[in-house]
Amino acid sequence: MAAAETLRVANLREMCAESEGKMKHASKEERVGVDQRYMQRHFDYDDGKLIRKISEGPGSKVGHWEWSINRHGYRKIKIKQATFEIHRLIWVMHNGYIPAGLQIDHINRDRLDNRIENLRLVTIRRNAENNSRNMSGVPGIHWNRFERKWQAFFKVNGKTITVGRFKDFDDACAAKNAAMREMGIAVCS
């Protein structure tokens, strides 16, 4: 197993261990019985789209890509009388159930881009960091307009650790990642 893949698996195990005990209930997909096998039997995946293979009644047509957008800006679809966000179903179709306490994140922040390569499993905290209004695109790196420098920081157990301020964006990212590694915290690339 390649080093990067080993790190990814270790990070997923760490996330699952961190999430254990936070939420004991089953996901909506589990409760309704929409698992990996069901998804592969009823849908084809095509570049972020779910195409029906089996009709579920009126309004549900074989070979069609049916969806609408929910109030949060995610594509949704109705299956077994329940509404699901499509990005979650695509994850389930490719990887199985989503562990309790974890969420599916759109890497490029585009809620309509449901390609499997744009989806990743993250903790609730990591997803919130990614969805902040941070314009740098990197969690923990912000532009300080008063000092006209990039400010690097991260959080540990709710406490903010400030790494420093840097003229160069890449230097700020490198310093933040080095500080996180030094403290034994997994660094997401």
Side-chain angles (χ1 to χ4, degrees):
M1 189 179 295
E5 180 65 15
T6 303
L7 180 60
R8 188 180 78 75
V9 170
N11 284 341
L12 287 176
R13 284 190 187 128
E14 182 180 310
M15 284 190 290
C16 290
E18 180 182 314
S19 70
E20 207 153 300
K22 288 184 181 174
M23 295 173 56
K24 293 291 183 189
H25 59 82
S27 69
K28 184 178 191 179
E29 294 85 6
E30 289 176 279
R31 289 191 311 273
V32 176
V34 177
D35 60 7
Q36 188 173 25
R37 186 171 175 220
Y38 177 90
M39 289 302 300
Q40 291 171 349
R41 184 166 175 250
H42 286 78
F43 292 90
D44 281 324
Y45 169 82
D46 180 27
D47 199 32
K49 300 174 187 170
L50 292 175
I51 312 296
R52 284 197 187 270
K53 291 197 263 186
I54 298 173
S55 175
E56 287 193 357
S60 162
K61 298 179 182 175
V62 173
H64 284 213
W65 180 41
E66 306 161 3
W67 58 272
S68 58
I69 297 180
N70 70 13
R71 63 188 172 111
H72 302 292
Y74 294 103
R75 284 195 172 112
K76 64 181 181 174
I77 189 171
K78 193 168 236 178
I79 300 174
K80 293 184 172 186
Q81 307 296 315
T83 304
F84 296 92
E85 292 174 339
I86 290 177
H87 66 284
R88 291 179 58 87
L89 296 176
I90 288 173
W91 181 270
V92 167
M93 182 180 212
H94 287 84
N95 300 290
Y97 283 128
I98 300 163
L102 298 180
Q103 297 179 340
I104 304 305
D105 177 42
H106 290 83
I107 296 169
N108 69 3
R109 297 184 182 191
D110 179 355
R111 294 178 178 185
L112 300 177
D113 184 355
N114 293 317
R115 294 171 298 122
I116 190 65
E117 57 269 17
N118 186 45
L119 303 177
R120 65 181 169 191
L121 192 62
V122 295
T123 62
I124 294 168
R125 175 179 280 170
R126 175 70 173 124
N127 200 21
E129 288 171 359
N130 189 43
N131 291 327
S132 72
R133 297 184 190 273
N134 175 3
M135 302 312 284
S136 76
V138 177
I141 306 292
H142 294 275
W143 178 250
N144 183 320
R145 64 186 174 128
F146 299 108
E147 293 188 31
R148 301 177 54 91
K149 291 183 179 180
W150 292 101
Q151 186 168 330
F153 68 93
F154 58 96
K155 291 189 177 190
V156 178
N157 298 325
K159 182 179 178 188
T160 301
I161 309 293
T162 301
V163 178
R165 293 174 187 84
F166 304 85
K167 288 183 181 180
D168 184 67
F169 175 78
D170 292 330
D171 290 345
C173 293
K176 181 192 107 176
N177 290 343
M180 288 176 71
R181 277 191 211 96
E182 192 175 300
M183 291 186 74
I185 300 169
V187 177
C188 296
S189 54

